[in-house]
Short mmCIF file of all heavy atoms in Angstrom, two decimals:
data_model
loop_
_atom_site.label_atom_id
_atom_site.label_comp_id
_atom_site.label_asym_id
_atom_site.label_seq_id
_atom_site.Cartn_x
_atom_site.Cartn_y
_atom_site.Cartn_z
N ASN Z 26 10.29 -2.07 26.43
CA ASN Z 26 11.38 -2.86 25.84
C ASN Z 26 12.43 -3.22 26.89
O ASN Z 26 12.90 -4.35 26.94
CB ASN Z 26 12.03 -2.10 24.68
CG ASN Z 26 11.16 -2.04 23.46
OD1 ASN Z 26 10.31 -2.90 23.25
ND2 ASN Z 26 11.35 -1.01 22.66
N ARG Z 27 12.81 -2.26 27.73
CA ARG Z 27 13.81 -2.53 28.77
C ARG Z 27 13.31 -3.55 29.77
O ARG Z 27 14.05 -4.43 30.20
CB ARG Z 27 14.19 -1.22 29.47
CG ARG Z 27 15.13 -0.35 28.66
CD ARG Z 27 15.69 0.80 29.48
NE ARG Z 27 14.64 1.70 29.94
CZ ARG Z 27 14.13 2.70 29.23
NH1 ARG Z 27 14.56 2.92 28.00
NH2 ARG Z 27 13.19 3.47 29.73
N VAL Z 28 12.03 -3.46 30.16
CA VAL Z 28 11.46 -4.41 31.12
C VAL Z 28 11.51 -5.82 30.56
O VAL Z 28 11.94 -6.76 31.23
CB VAL Z 28 10.02 -4.01 31.52
CG1 VAL Z 28 9.34 -5.14 32.28
CG2 VAL Z 28 10.04 -2.73 32.33
N TRP Z 29 11.07 -6.00 29.32
CA TRP Z 29 11.06 -7.34 28.74
C TRP Z 29 12.47 -7.88 28.56
O TRP Z 29 12.72 -9.06 28.77
CB TRP Z 29 10.29 -7.36 27.42
CG TRP Z 29 8.82 -7.50 27.66
CD1 TRP Z 29 8.19 -8.58 28.19
CD2 TRP Z 29 7.81 -6.54 27.40
NE1 TRP Z 29 6.83 -8.35 28.29
CE2 TRP Z 29 6.56 -7.10 27.80
CE3 TRP Z 29 7.81 -5.26 26.87
CZ2 TRP Z 29 5.36 -6.43 27.68
CZ3 TRP Z 29 6.60 -4.60 26.74
CH2 TRP Z 29 5.40 -5.18 27.16
N ARG Z 30 13.42 -7.03 28.18
CA ARG Z 30 14.81 -7.49 28.06
C ARG Z 30 15.36 -7.90 29.41
O ARG Z 30 16.05 -8.90 29.53
CB ARG Z 30 15.69 -6.40 27.44
CG ARG Z 30 15.64 -6.37 25.93
CD ARG Z 30 16.79 -5.56 25.36
NE ARG Z 30 16.89 -4.23 25.92
CZ ARG Z 30 16.31 -3.14 25.42
NH1 ARG Z 30 15.58 -3.22 24.34
NH2 ARG Z 30 16.47 -1.97 25.98
N SER Z 31 15.05 -7.13 30.46
CA SER Z 31 15.57 -7.45 31.79
C SER Z 31 14.98 -8.73 32.34
O SER Z 31 15.54 -9.35 33.23
CB SER Z 31 15.34 -6.28 32.75
OG SER Z 31 13.96 -6.15 33.03
N ALA Z 32 13.84 -9.14 31.82
CA ALA Z 32 13.21 -10.38 32.27
C ALA Z 32 13.73 -11.58 31.47
O ALA Z 32 13.17 -12.67 31.55
CB ALA Z 32 11.70 -10.27 32.14
N ASN Z 33 14.80 -11.38 30.70
CA ASN Z 33 15.40 -12.43 29.89
C ASN Z 33 14.43 -13.01 28.87
O ASN Z 33 14.52 -14.18 28.51
CB ASN Z 33 15.98 -13.55 30.77
CG ASN Z 33 17.11 -13.04 31.61
OD1 ASN Z 33 17.94 -12.28 31.15
ND2 ASN Z 33 17.14 -13.46 32.86
N THR Z 34 13.49 -12.22 28.44
CA THR Z 34 12.56 -12.62 27.40
C THR Z 34 13.21 -12.30 26.06
O THR Z 34 13.75 -11.22 25.89
CB THR Z 34 11.24 -11.84 27.54
OG1 THR Z 34 10.70 -12.11 28.82
CG2 THR Z 34 10.25 -12.26 26.48
N PRO Z 35 13.17 -13.24 25.12
CA PRO Z 35 13.73 -12.91 23.81
C PRO Z 35 13.13 -11.61 23.27
O PRO Z 35 11.94 -11.38 23.39
CB PRO Z 35 13.32 -14.11 22.94
CG PRO Z 35 13.13 -15.22 23.92
CD PRO Z 35 12.60 -14.57 25.18
N ALA Z 36 13.97 -10.79 22.68
CA ALA Z 36 13.56 -9.45 22.25
C ALA Z 36 12.33 -9.46 21.36
O ALA Z 36 11.48 -8.58 21.46
CB ALA Z 36 14.72 -8.76 21.56
N MET Z 37 12.20 -10.45 20.49
CA MET Z 37 11.09 -10.45 19.56
C MET Z 37 9.94 -11.37 19.98
O MET Z 37 9.02 -11.60 19.24
CB MET Z 37 11.56 -10.81 18.15
CG MET Z 37 12.48 -9.78 17.54
SD MET Z 37 11.83 -8.09 17.52
CE MET Z 37 10.50 -8.27 16.38
N ALA Z 38 10.02 -11.93 21.17
CA ALA Z 38 8.97 -12.84 21.61
C ALA Z 38 7.64 -12.12 21.77
O ALA Z 38 6.59 -12.71 21.57
CB ALA Z 38 9.36 -13.50 22.92
N LEU Z 39 7.69 -10.88 22.13
CA LEU Z 39 6.48 -10.10 22.32
C LEU Z 39 6.67 -8.76 21.62
O LEU Z 39 7.59 -8.02 21.93
CB LEU Z 39 6.22 -9.88 23.81
CG LEU Z 39 4.93 -9.15 24.17
CD1 LEU Z 39 3.73 -9.92 23.66
CD2 LEU Z 39 4.83 -9.00 25.67
N ARG Z 40 5.79 -8.47 20.67
CA ARG Z 40 5.88 -7.21 19.96
C ARG Z 40 5.04 -6.16 20.66
O ARG Z 40 3.99 -6.47 21.21
CB ARG Z 40 5.40 -7.39 18.51
CG ARG Z 40 6.31 -8.32 17.74
CD ARG Z 40 5.87 -8.54 16.31
NE ARG Z 40 4.61 -9.26 16.27
CZ ARG Z 40 3.50 -8.79 15.68
NH1 ARG Z 40 3.49 -7.62 15.09
NH2 ARG Z 40 2.41 -9.50 15.68
N LYS Z 41 5.52 -4.92 20.67
CA LYS Z 41 4.85 -3.83 21.36
C LYS Z 41 4.62 -2.69 20.38
O LYS Z 41 5.58 -2.11 19.89
CB LYS Z 41 5.69 -3.36 22.55
CG LYS Z 41 5.91 -4.45 23.57
CD LYS Z 41 7.24 -4.38 24.29
CE LYS Z 41 8.47 -4.44 23.48
NZ LYS Z 41 8.97 -5.75 23.10
N ASN Z 42 3.36 -2.44 20.07
CA ASN Z 42 2.99 -1.36 19.16
C ASN Z 42 1.80 -0.62 19.75
O ASN Z 42 1.07 -1.17 20.58
CB ASN Z 42 2.61 -1.91 17.78
CG ASN Z 42 3.81 -2.48 17.07
OD1 ASN Z 42 4.73 -1.77 16.73
ND2 ASN Z 42 3.79 -3.79 16.85
N ALA Z 43 1.61 0.59 19.33
CA ALA Z 43 0.48 1.39 19.82
C ALA Z 43 -0.19 2.09 18.65
O ALA Z 43 0.48 2.71 17.82
CB ALA Z 43 0.96 2.42 20.83
N ALA Z 44 -1.51 1.97 18.58
CA ALA Z 44 -2.30 2.70 17.60
C ALA Z 44 -2.87 3.92 18.30
O ALA Z 44 -3.34 3.83 19.43
CB ALA Z 44 -3.42 1.81 17.06
N GLY Z 45 -2.81 5.06 17.64
CA GLY Z 45 -3.27 6.31 18.24
C GLY Z 45 -4.40 6.93 17.44
O GLY Z 45 -4.17 7.85 16.67
N PRO Z 46 -5.62 6.43 17.63
CA PRO Z 46 -6.74 7.03 16.89
C PRO Z 46 -7.13 8.38 17.45
O PRO Z 46 -6.91 8.67 18.63
CB PRO Z 46 -7.87 6.02 17.07
CG PRO Z 46 -7.58 5.35 18.36
CD PRO Z 46 -6.07 5.32 18.46
N ASP Z 47 -7.69 9.21 16.61
CA ASP Z 47 -8.22 10.50 17.02
C ASP Z 47 -9.74 10.33 17.06
O ASP Z 47 -10.23 9.32 17.54
CB ASP Z 47 -7.77 11.59 16.05
CG ASP Z 47 -7.93 12.98 16.63
OD1 ASP Z 47 -7.34 13.28 17.68
OD2 ASP Z 47 -8.68 13.78 16.02
N TYR Z 48 -10.48 11.26 16.54
CA TYR Z 48 -11.94 11.16 16.55
C TYR Z 48 -12.42 10.00 15.68
O TYR Z 48 -12.03 9.88 14.53
CB TYR Z 48 -12.58 12.46 16.05
CG TYR Z 48 -12.34 13.63 16.97
CD1 TYR Z 48 -11.37 14.57 16.69
CD2 TYR Z 48 -13.10 13.77 18.13
CE1 TYR Z 48 -11.16 15.64 17.54
CE2 TYR Z 48 -12.90 14.83 18.98
CZ TYR Z 48 -11.93 15.77 18.69
OH TYR Z 48 -11.72 16.81 19.53
N VAL Z 49 -13.26 9.16 16.27
CA VAL Z 49 -13.79 7.98 15.58
C VAL Z 49 -15.31 8.02 15.68
O VAL Z 49 -15.87 8.36 16.72
CB VAL Z 49 -13.25 6.68 16.21
CG1 VAL Z 49 -13.77 5.46 15.48
CG2 VAL Z 49 -11.71 6.68 16.22
N ASP Z 50 -15.96 7.67 14.61
CA ASP Z 50 -17.42 7.70 14.54
C ASP Z 50 -18.01 6.55 15.37
O ASP Z 50 -18.36 5.50 14.85
CB ASP Z 50 -17.88 7.60 13.09
CG ASP Z 50 -19.36 7.91 12.93
OD1 ASP Z 50 -19.99 8.36 13.90
OD2 ASP Z 50 -19.87 7.70 11.82
N THR Z 51 -18.08 6.77 16.67
CA THR Z 51 -18.61 5.77 17.60
C THR Z 51 -19.79 6.38 18.35
O THR Z 51 -20.27 7.47 18.01
CB THR Z 51 -17.53 5.35 18.60
OG1 THR Z 51 -17.09 6.51 19.32
CG2 THR Z 51 -16.34 4.71 17.90
N ALA Z 52 -20.23 5.71 19.39
CA ALA Z 52 -21.39 6.17 20.16
C ALA Z 52 -21.20 7.57 20.74
O ALA Z 52 -22.19 8.26 21.01
CB ALA Z 52 -21.68 5.18 21.29
N ILE Z 53 -19.97 8.00 20.91
CA ILE Z 53 -19.73 9.33 21.47
C ILE Z 53 -20.30 10.42 20.55
O ILE Z 53 -20.62 11.52 21.00
CB ILE Z 53 -18.22 9.56 21.73
CG1 ILE Z 53 -18.01 10.73 22.67
CG2 ILE Z 53 -17.46 9.77 20.45
CD1 ILE Z 53 -16.62 10.82 23.22
N PHE Z 54 -20.45 10.11 19.27
CA PHE Z 54 -21.00 11.07 18.32
C PHE Z 54 -22.49 10.88 18.05
O PHE Z 54 -23.07 11.61 17.25
CB PHE Z 54 -20.24 11.01 16.99
CG PHE Z 54 -18.90 11.67 17.05
CD1 PHE Z 54 -17.75 10.92 17.16
CD2 PHE Z 54 -18.78 13.05 17.01
CE1 PHE Z 54 -16.51 11.52 17.23
CE2 PHE Z 54 -17.55 13.66 17.08
CZ PHE Z 54 -16.40 12.89 17.20
N ALA Z 55 -23.12 9.93 18.70
CA ALA Z 55 -24.53 9.61 18.42
C ALA Z 55 -25.47 10.79 18.65
O ALA Z 55 -26.44 10.95 17.93
CB ALA Z 55 -24.97 8.42 19.27
N ASP Z 56 -25.16 11.62 19.63
CA ASP Z 56 -26.05 12.74 19.95
C ASP Z 56 -25.64 14.04 19.25
O ASP Z 56 -26.23 15.09 19.48
CB ASP Z 56 -26.12 12.95 21.45
CG ASP Z 56 -24.78 13.32 22.06
OD1 ASP Z 56 -23.74 13.09 21.41
OD2 ASP Z 56 -24.78 13.81 23.21
N ARG Z 57 -24.65 13.98 18.36
CA ARG Z 57 -24.19 15.17 17.64
C ARG Z 57 -24.99 15.36 16.37
O ARG Z 57 -25.39 14.41 15.72
CB ARG Z 57 -22.71 15.04 17.28
CG ARG Z 57 -21.79 14.75 18.44
CD ARG Z 57 -21.46 16.01 19.22
NE ARG Z 57 -20.69 15.73 20.40
CZ ARG Z 57 -19.37 15.77 20.49
NH1 ARG Z 57 -18.66 16.07 19.43
NH2 ARG Z 57 -18.77 15.51 21.62
N THR Z 58 -25.19 16.61 16.00
CA THR Z 58 -25.86 16.90 14.73
C THR Z 58 -24.87 16.65 13.59
O THR Z 58 -23.65 16.57 13.81
CB THR Z 58 -26.32 18.36 14.67
OG1 THR Z 58 -25.16 19.21 14.64
CG2 THR Z 58 -27.22 18.71 15.85
N GLU Z 59 -25.39 16.57 12.40
CA GLU Z 59 -24.51 16.36 11.24
C GLU Z 59 -23.55 17.55 11.08
O GLU Z 59 -22.39 17.37 10.73
CB GLU Z 59 -25.33 16.17 9.96
CG GLU Z 59 -24.52 15.71 8.78
CD GLU Z 59 -23.81 14.38 9.02
OE1 GLU Z 59 -24.36 13.49 9.69
OE2 GLU Z 59 -22.67 14.23 8.51
N ALA Z 60 -24.02 18.76 11.39
CA ALA Z 60 -23.16 19.95 11.31
C ALA Z 60 -22.01 19.84 12.32
O ALA Z 60 -20.87 20.19 11.99
CB ALA Z 60 -23.98 21.21 11.57
N GLN Z 61 -22.29 19.36 13.52
CA GLN Z 61 -21.24 19.20 14.53
C GLN Z 61 -20.23 18.14 14.10
O GLN Z 61 -19.02 18.31 14.26
CB GLN Z 61 -21.85 18.82 15.88
CG GLN Z 61 -22.62 19.95 16.53
CD GLN Z 61 -23.39 19.48 17.74
OE1 GLN Z 61 -23.94 18.38 17.76
NE2 GLN Z 61 -23.45 20.33 18.76
N ARG Z 62 -20.73 17.05 13.54
CA ARG Z 62 -19.85 15.98 13.08
C ARG Z 62 -18.95 16.48 11.94
O ARG Z 62 -17.76 16.18 11.89
CB ARG Z 62 -20.68 14.78 12.63
CG ARG Z 62 -21.44 14.13 13.77
CD ARG Z 62 -22.58 13.25 13.27
NE ARG Z 62 -22.15 12.17 12.43
CZ ARG Z 62 -21.84 10.96 12.84
NH1 ARG Z 62 -21.92 10.67 14.13
NH2 ARG Z 62 -21.47 10.03 12.00
N THR Z 63 -19.53 17.26 11.04
CA THR Z 63 -18.76 17.82 9.93
C THR Z 63 -17.69 18.78 10.45
O THR Z 63 -16.55 18.75 10.00
CB THR Z 63 -19.69 18.55 8.94
OG1 THR Z 63 -20.62 17.59 8.42
CG2 THR Z 63 -18.91 19.18 7.81
N GLU Z 64 -18.05 19.61 11.43
CA GLU Z 64 -17.10 20.56 12.00
C GLU Z 64 -15.92 19.83 12.62
O GLU Z 64 -14.76 20.23 12.43
CB GLU Z 64 -17.80 21.44 13.04
CG GLU Z 64 -16.95 22.59 13.58
CD GLU Z 64 -16.07 22.19 14.74
OE1 GLU Z 64 -16.49 21.37 15.57
OE2 GLU Z 64 -14.93 22.70 14.80
N VAL Z 65 -16.17 18.77 13.36
CA VAL Z 65 -15.09 17.99 13.97
C VAL Z 65 -14.24 17.36 12.87
O VAL Z 65 -13.01 17.38 12.92
CB VAL Z 65 -15.65 16.91 14.93
CG1 VAL Z 65 -14.57 15.93 15.35
CG2 VAL Z 65 -16.27 17.57 16.15
N GLY Z 66 -14.87 16.80 11.85
CA GLY Z 66 -14.14 16.19 10.76
C GLY Z 66 -13.24 17.17 10.02
O GLY Z 66 -12.14 16.81 9.59
N MET Z 67 -13.68 18.40 9.89
CA MET Z 67 -12.90 19.40 9.17
C MET Z 67 -11.63 19.82 9.91
O MET Z 67 -10.78 20.50 9.34
CB MET Z 67 -13.76 20.62 8.84
CG MET Z 67 -14.89 20.32 7.86
SD MET Z 67 -14.36 19.45 6.36
CE MET Z 67 -13.36 20.71 5.60
N ARG Z 68 -11.48 19.41 11.15
CA ARG Z 68 -10.24 19.69 11.89
C ARG Z 68 -9.08 18.84 11.37
O ARG Z 68 -7.93 19.11 11.69
CB ARG Z 68 -10.44 19.39 13.38
CG ARG Z 68 -11.46 20.26 14.04
CD ARG Z 68 -11.64 19.88 15.48
NE ARG Z 68 -12.80 20.55 16.05
CZ ARG Z 68 -13.31 20.28 17.23
NH1 ARG Z 68 -12.77 19.34 17.99
NH2 ARG Z 68 -14.36 20.93 17.67
N HIS Z 69 -9.41 17.82 10.61
CA HIS Z 69 -8.41 16.89 10.09
C HIS Z 69 -8.11 17.20 8.63
O HIS Z 69 -9.02 17.54 7.87
CB HIS Z 69 -8.93 15.45 10.20
CG HIS Z 69 -9.26 15.06 11.59
ND1 HIS Z 69 -10.45 15.39 12.20
CD2 HIS Z 69 -8.54 14.39 12.51
CE1 HIS Z 69 -10.45 14.93 13.44
NE2 HIS Z 69 -9.30 14.32 13.65
N PRO Z 70 -6.87 17.06 8.21
CA PRO Z 70 -6.55 17.30 6.80
C PRO Z 70 -7.38 16.45 5.84
O PRO Z 70 -7.65 16.88 4.73
CB PRO Z 70 -5.06 16.94 6.72
CG PRO Z 70 -4.54 17.30 8.08
CD PRO Z 70 -5.65 16.86 9.02
N LEU Z 71 -7.79 15.25 6.25
CA LEU Z 71 -8.63 14.43 5.37
C LEU Z 71 -10.08 14.86 5.39
O LEU Z 71 -10.89 14.35 4.62
CB LEU Z 71 -8.51 12.94 5.73
CG LEU Z 71 -7.14 12.33 5.47
CD1 LEU Z 71 -7.15 10.83 5.80
CD2 LEU Z 71 -6.71 12.54 4.03
N GLY Z 72 -10.45 15.78 6.27
CA GLY Z 72 -11.78 16.38 6.27
C GLY Z 72 -12.90 15.54 6.82
O GLY Z 72 -14.07 15.79 6.51
N ARG Z 73 -12.59 14.56 7.63
CA ARG Z 73 -13.64 13.71 8.20
C ARG Z 73 -13.11 13.00 9.44
O ARG Z 73 -11.91 13.04 9.71
CB ARG Z 73 -14.11 12.66 7.19
CG ARG Z 73 -13.01 11.69 6.77
CD ARG Z 73 -13.50 10.70 5.73
NE ARG Z 73 -12.46 9.79 5.31
CZ ARG Z 73 -12.10 8.68 5.96
NH1 ARG Z 73 -12.71 8.34 7.08
NH2 ARG Z 73 -11.16 7.91 5.48
N ILE Z 74 -14.02 12.38 10.19
CA ILE Z 74 -13.60 11.55 11.31
C ILE Z 74 -13.46 10.11 10.82
O ILE Z 74 -13.95 9.75 9.76
CB ILE Z 74 -14.58 11.66 12.51
CG1 ILE Z 74 -16.00 11.25 12.11
CG2 ILE Z 74 -14.55 13.06 13.09
CD1 ILE Z 74 -16.99 11.27 13.26
N ALA Z 75 -12.78 9.30 11.60
CA ALA Z 75 -12.52 7.93 11.20
C ALA Z 75 -13.72 7.03 11.39
O ALA Z 75 -14.56 7.25 12.27
CB ALA Z 75 -11.35 7.37 12.02
N ASN Z 76 -13.77 6.01 10.57
CA ASN Z 76 -14.74 4.95 10.72
C ASN Z 76 -14.10 3.90 11.64
O ASN Z 76 -12.91 3.63 11.51
CB ASN Z 76 -15.01 4.35 9.32
CG ASN Z 76 -15.95 3.19 9.36
OD1 ASN Z 76 -15.68 2.17 9.97
ND2 ASN Z 76 -17.06 3.35 8.68
N PRO Z 77 -14.84 3.30 12.57
CA PRO Z 77 -14.24 2.30 13.47
C PRO Z 77 -13.53 1.18 12.72
O PRO Z 77 -12.52 0.65 13.21
CB PRO Z 77 -15.43 1.76 14.26
CG PRO Z 77 -16.45 2.84 14.21
CD PRO Z 77 -16.26 3.52 12.88
N ASN Z 78 -14.02 0.82 11.54
CA ASN Z 78 -13.38 -0.25 10.76
C ASN Z 78 -11.97 0.13 10.32
O ASN Z 78 -11.11 -0.74 10.15
CB ASN Z 78 -14.23 -0.62 9.55
CG ASN Z 78 -15.51 -1.29 9.97
OD1 ASN Z 78 -15.60 -1.93 11.01
ND2 ASN Z 78 -16.55 -1.12 9.17
N GLU Z 79 -11.72 1.43 10.14
CA GLU Z 79 -10.38 1.88 9.76
C GLU Z 79 -9.39 1.66 10.91
O GLU Z 79 -8.24 1.27 10.69
CB GLU Z 79 -10.41 3.34 9.35
CG GLU Z 79 -11.20 3.57 8.07
CD GLU Z 79 -11.43 5.03 7.77
OE1 GLU Z 79 -11.90 5.77 8.67
OE2 GLU Z 79 -11.14 5.43 6.63
N ILE Z 80 -9.84 1.91 12.12
CA ILE Z 80 -8.99 1.69 13.30
C ILE Z 80 -8.77 0.20 13.47
O ILE Z 80 -7.65 -0.27 13.70
CB ILE Z 80 -9.63 2.29 14.57
CG1 ILE Z 80 -10.05 3.75 14.35
CG2 ILE Z 80 -8.71 2.13 15.76
CD1 ILE Z 80 -9.00 4.69 13.88
#
Side-chain angles (χ1 to χ4, degrees):
N26 288 334
R27 283 191 297 276
V28 169
W29 276 294
R30 276 196 307 269
S31 69
N33 296 319
T34 301
M37 294 306 293
L39 183 60
R40 295 179 294 121
K41 299 147 301 276
N42 292 295
D47 197 59
Y48 293 101
V49 181
D50 192 9
T51 59
I53 197 167
F54 284 102
D56 62 342
R57 306 279 174 94
T58 67
E59 191 59 36
Q61 290 171 322
R62 295 162 60 91
T63 299
E64 187 274 323
V65 169
M67 294 310 294
R68 297 177 190 170
H69 301 82
L71 293 183
R73 63 182 179 83
I74 58 177
N76 177 298
N78 292 332
E79 294 171 309
I80 309 305

